[in-house]
Amino acid sequence: MKHPTRNEAGTIDEVWKTIGELARAFRQRDDERKVPTEQQWTLQVLKIGEEFGEAAQAVIGVQGTNPRKGTSHSWDDVQAEVADTALVTLARMRPNDAADCFAGVLADKSSRFLIPAPPSPGEVQG
């Protein structure tokens, strides 16, 4: 299964627009069923757990370690499971600022875990 690249899927703003539209559609379905907001969030977070299980199953399929199924998945399958749910969950919980929240979390993680690149030769250090 071929998944779209960033160029095929659009700009990051278009990606977040699509994520928001999915979140709104899922919220509308739950609202029509009269599911309370916090329960919607809870179920959506549990969906991440479900997707983890599917990603794990796909990894087992890539490795061929299930004797009944052999090699049954590809790394594309694993990647699709990994990319499938978390950002929509965030957008459901924070419909007005999910992209900003994600950017903030990403900035925090990168400041704590990324090692700054060494200066280029001839670059003045500040």
Side-chain angles (χ1 to χ4, degrees), residues 42-83:
T42 301
L43 293 170
Q44 190 67 38
V45 169
L46 291 174
K47 180 72 174 154
I48 294 171
E50 177 190 21
E51 292 301 325
F52 169 77
E54 291 175 11
Q57 180 180 10
V59 169
I60 290 167
V62 167
Q63 300 297 320
T65 57
N66 181 331
R68 292 181 296 107
K69 296 181 181 179
T71 302
S72 58
H73 290 77
S74 70
W75 283 111
D76 281 346
D77 297 322
V78 175
Q79 294 158 9
E81 296 300 342
V82 169

Side-chain angles (χ1 to χ4, degrees), residues 5-126:
T5 64
R6 180 174 175 194
N7 289 338
E8 294 168 335
T11 66
I12 195 69
D13 289 338
E14 291 168 330
V15 168
W16 275 106
K17 180 182 176 202
T18 301
I19 289 167
E21 289 170 356
L22 286 166
R24 279 188 293 284
F26 297 152
R27 184 175 50 250
Q28 181 179 352
R29 289 179 191 154
D30 284 347
D31 287 347
E32 288 169 359
R33 293 177 29 234
K34 300 192 184 340
V35 178
T37 299
E38 285 190 16
Q39 186 177 355
Q40 291 181 34
W41 294 355
T42 301
L43 293 170
Q44 190 67 38
V45 169
L46 291 174
K47 180 72 174 154
I48 294 171
E50 177 190 21
E51 292 301 325
F52 169 77
E54 291 175 11
Q57 180 180 10
V59 169
I60 290 167
V62 167
Q63 300 297 320
T65 57
N66 181 331
R68 292 181 296 107
K69 296 181 181 179
T71 302
S72 58
H73 290 77
S74 70
W75 283 111
D76 281 346
D77 297 322
V78 175
Q79 294 158 9
E81 296 300 342
V82 169
D84 180 291
T85 303
L87 295 180
V88 172
T89 300
L90 181 61
R92 289 192 72 182
M93 297 177 86
R94 298 186 68 135
N96 298 320
D97 70 345
D100 291 338
C101 177
F102 179 72
V105 169
L106 196 61
D108 177 59
K109 295 285 185 194
S110 64
S111 72
R112 290 189 290 142
F113 296 107
L114 294 180
I115 299 169
S120 301
E123 184 179 341
V124 178
Q125 293 181 347

